[in-house]
Amino acid sequence: MTKRLSIFPLPGAILFPGLQLPLHIFEPRYRELVGSALAKDRLIAMIQPQRGGENAPLYEVGCVGRIGDVEALEDGRYNIVLEGEARFRMLRELDVTTAFRQIEAELIDDPEDEVLSSVERAAFEFEAKRFAAMQGYSVDWDSVERLDDETLINGVAQIIPFDSAAKQALLEAPDLSERCELMIQLMQFFALRDDGDEIVTLQ
């Protein structure tokens, strides 16, 4: 199934189905994007550009979000919360007259209610705790342990401060098990100490 999508190309920001992404919209073209979405289907497609600059080429996979909460500010800015609905694969960029970019894409039919094996879950939690301790993050691990596998893996993938290419690889992973394994590898890689003193930075 192909679909015409209005996109918000934002480096370092990914969205997963079933999760939320808060955004502060201030650029005129993206204010226009939000206004257009609110007037139509409330859908905005999040996708990362491959580099900086105007009209930079895009990565192939992104996620469609539906505007949930919205706050329209007096000066034209918006605070919105996108609720992830489905990943998509871009087919082509369209020639448009709007200030924001649009693409033709096909939606990806992800499996529902994916689960990890107990060994995969335990390996992820072990590595996540080690990574968090090295980075100095404060985490409520009791709450983490109560999350279902999908919310845990996709939620961490969405917020963890890896670089854009690493986050894109997580988004493109075909299933939860492979995303979990890739996240473990990335946490091990990015948590390496440089000469035993400094932690490798992520951005």
Side-chain angles (χ1 to χ4, degrees):
M1 173 180 161
T2 62
K3 190 173 182 65
R4 184 186 184 109
L5 298 173
S6 300
I7 63 168
F8 186 3
L10 186 61
I14 59 173
L15 175 64
F16 283 93
L19 297 182
Q20 295 183 331
L21 179 66
L23 294 167
H24 176 64
I25 309 297
F26 59 90
E27 287 189 48
R29 61 182 144 178
Y30 298 125
R31 292 192 223 167
E32 181 182 327
L33 168 63
V34 171
S36 174
L38 290 172
K40 295 192 298 183
D41 52 14
R42 301 179 75 91
L43 296 180
I44 292 176
M46 297 300 300
I47 191 168
Q48 291 197 114
Q50 295 184 29
R51 60 171 187 268
E54 195 76 13
N55 296 319
L58 304 167
Y59 282 108
E60 189 175 289
V61 175
C63 183
V64 182
R66 184 177 297 276
I67 298 174
D69 294 339
V70 56
E71 178 188 14
L73 304 177
E74 291 183 1
D75 60 2
R77 293 175 296 138
Y78 291 95
N79 291 319
I80 65 173
V81 176
L82 279 186
E83 300 170 351
E85 293 206 338
R87 292 191 305 153
F88 64 84
R89 181 170 287 103
M90 185 180 73
L91 300 176
R92 65 188 180 96
E93 185 160 0
L94 303 173
D95 292 326
V96 294
T97 57
T98 54
F100 51 87
R101 300 164 71 178
Q102 299 180 52
I103 63 171
E104 181 182 4
E106 59 180 0
L107 300 183
I108 298 172
D109 187 18
D110 283 318
E112 296 182 4
D113 302 321
E114 292 183 278
V115 295
L116 301 172
S117 70
S118 58
V119 172
E120 289 173 322
R121 173 86 183 214
F124 178 82
E125 289 189 6
F126 174 83
E127 201 59 51
K129 289 177 181 179
R130 191 171 77 98
F131 179 83
M134 281 184 164
Q135 298 293 319
Y137 298 150
S138 177
V139 179
D140 181 354
W141 294 110
D142 289 337
S143 296
V144 168
E145 289 171 2
R146 291 194 292 270
L147 295 175
D148 63 81
D149 294 340
E150 205 165 10
T151 301
L152 173 62
I153 299 301
N154 291 345
V156 173
Q158 186 169 304
I159 66 171
I160 199 164
F162 291 160
D163 59 39
S164 296
K167 291 179 79 72
Q168 187 65 29
L170 291 169
L171 182 64
E172 294 183 8
D175 57 45
L176 195 68
S177 181
E178 290 197 32
R179 188 170 297 125
C180 173
E181 177 59 29
L182 178 57
M183 188 114 59
I184 289 172
Q185 294 173 5
L186 288 168
M187 285 190 291
Q188 290 171 341
F189 173 77
F190 282 118
L192 291 175
R193 292 180 179 273
D194 182 18
D195 297 328
D197 295 320
E198 297 180 4
I199 297 173
V200 177
T201 57
L202 306 183
Q203 296 285 19

